[in-house]
Amino acid sequence: MKGSQRRHSGKPAHDLIEEAVHLLRTAPAAALAVYYLGTLPFVLGVLFFWADMSESPTARRHVVEAALGVTLLFLWMKGCHAIFARKLRAHIAGEQSAPLGWRRTINAALLQVALHATGLFLLPLATVSVVLLPWVYSFYQNLTALADTDAPGGRELFRRAARHAKLWPGQNIFAMISIAAFGLVVFLNCCFACGFLPQLLKSLFGLETVFSRGGMALLNTTFFATMLGLTYLCLDPILKTLYVLRCFYGEAIHSGA
């Protein structure tokens, strides 16, 4: 009876988060290296684009080229995320992750970009509605978790991601709430640490900077965008790993893995 109940409700959310953190810690170093190799350039590119477009008087002259550069970085990131998810799935199964090759990596990245592009419109709408957010957010995370599996194309990947998004809704909702609360703590810690760093350098080493002279001038939109970027870099690997586990357990219901 207990096993049947767990099959219908899934693992408790806090157990799944703990397992995701443990899996991330024990995964091959190459997996996390590939993740940051793709994600760090995109985050830096977005921050540069944000600062340039909000402060540069000549931003309109090169906005098209800058937006294209961010798009290419997003494509690169999605290719790396596909490799990251593949390495995690192989680690869970106790197998050796075979290299994808450039053609399969590019195809997986293009498919990811094509499907994730719809999230620019659907995720804000789901956030406004609140009720649909857990399912929509889970769907887009599942697209990455299932990247470059045996799915023959975008239609099959879409179907499988949608099926896993409906699986164990209670687990998904409580996991999202827990990660969101932890993310708020990480964001505030980053803000306080970076906000007080100029004054700390001045007090300990006598280093005078523009930020220590400016006082509250540090607190601008670029600063908060940078803190969001740091929070994303800290939390997103855990989220990706969590949804890889959810998809693995969802597939295991039918495959017995």
Side-chain angles (χ1 to χ4, degrees), residues 17 21 24 174-190 230-239:
I17 294 173
V21 173
L24 197 59
F174 284 114
M176 286 183 60
I177 293 173
S178 301
I179 294 293
F182 180 61
L184 179 60
V185 173
V186 173
F187 174 75
L188 292 176
N189 280 331
C190 289
L230 287 175
T231 304
Y232 177 81
L233 290 172
C234 292
L235 289 184
D236 191 59
I238 301 175
L239 275 170

Side-chain angles (χ1 to χ4, degrees), residues 69-99:
V70 172
T71 303
L72 292 176
L73 288 175
F74 183 72
L75 176 66
W76 166 257
M77 180 179 71
K78 284 303 167 186
C80 291
H81 284 180
I83 299 174
F84 173 70
R86 180 182 176 87
K87 288 183 177 295
L88 286 182
R89 290 195 306 270
H91 182 62
I92 295 171
E95 301 172 351
Q96 187 69 27
S97 177

Side-chain angles (χ1 to χ4, degrees), residues 168-203:
W168 304 318
Q171 179 198 78
N172 182 40
I173 292 172
F174 284 114
M176 286 183 60
I177 293 173
S178 301
I179 294 293
F182 180 61
L184 179 60
V185 173
V186 173
F187 174 75
L188 292 176
N189 280 331
C190 289
C191 288
F192 283 120
C194 295
F196 286 112
L197 184 61
Q199 296 298 331
L200 190 63
L201 291 174
K202 181 180 178 181
S203 301

